[in-house]
Amino acid sequence: MIVDDHPVVRDGLRGMFDHVADIEVVAEASDGLEALVMARRARPHVVLMDLRMPGLDGVGAIQRLRVDHPEIKVIVLTTYDTDADVTRAMAAGVAGYLLKDAPREELHRAVRTAAAGGAVLAPSIASALIGRPAAQEPSRRELEVLRLVARGSANKEIARALLISETTVKTHLKHVFAKLGVDSRAAAVVVAMERGLI
């Protein structure tokens, strides 16, 4: 199944699989919610999922698919390769992460590998992951700050509650972002919740 909000992209991807004997495109969807409906109907073995779509985005759809259809393998196919995007997708439980400039043969190989239970990564993503230092867990104090962020507290309120300065709160958040591979408060909360840290 191909999930992308751009019809031209979906058409192009479908064309890449048109004459491949062992791969059949059984469904298409233009956003995450439609992907969930089509997954129930078509029961694909593998989903090629864009990340940034209106409504329910790719990561949200992946999380729901993992619960409703754990047998379906999802490969992210996107133009985005930031640490935050890769981290969120990996935390959601994808079988692969490819960029949209991947050659046709690489896409075919990725679908076959995922269907067989393997994992696939774009070479640039694999290199970045290998070159990245081992992930550190946020400290106890950093998690206290993040729990208050999750409750909607502003930096000033967090500083007052923990008897620290606003500057210290900002420093803790900067460290949390780096350790979780994210670039926003919302993403930090999402990743921390997915990993059971808060």
Side-chain angles (χ1 to χ4, degrees), residues 47-58:
V47 174
L48 293 176
M49 179 81 70
D50 189 19
L51 277 186
R52 301 198 184 172
M53 298 177 288
L56 184 65
D57 71 355

Side-chain angles (χ1 to χ4, degrees), residues 65-80:
L65 282 173
R66 298 289 299 140
V67 172
D68 298 344
H69 307 284
E71 74 284 359
I72 295 176
K73 310 299 183 193
V74 180
I75 299 171
V76 167
L77 187 62
T78 183
T79 53
Y80 302 99

Side-chain angles (χ1 to χ4, degrees), residues 41-106:
R41 287 186 195 156
R43 297 289 176 159
H45 296 108
V46 178
V47 174
L48 293 176
M49 179 81 70
D50 189 19
L51 277 186
R52 301 198 184 172
M53 298 177 288
L56 184 65
D57 71 355
V59 170
I62 293 162
Q63 290 166 335
R64 295 270 297 276
L65 282 173
R66 298 289 299 140
V67 172
D68 298 344
H69 307 284
E71 74 284 359
I72 295 176
K73 310 299 183 193
V74 180
I75 299 171
V76 167
L77 187 62
T78 183
T79 53
Y80 302 99
D81 63 352
T82 65
D83 280 1
D85 288 314
V86 174
T87 300
R88 287 184 67 224
M90 294 299 184
V94 297
Y97 197 108
L98 294 178
L99 300 179
K100 285 182 178 171
D101 61 0
R104 177 186 307 249
E105 295 73 25
E106 188 179 339

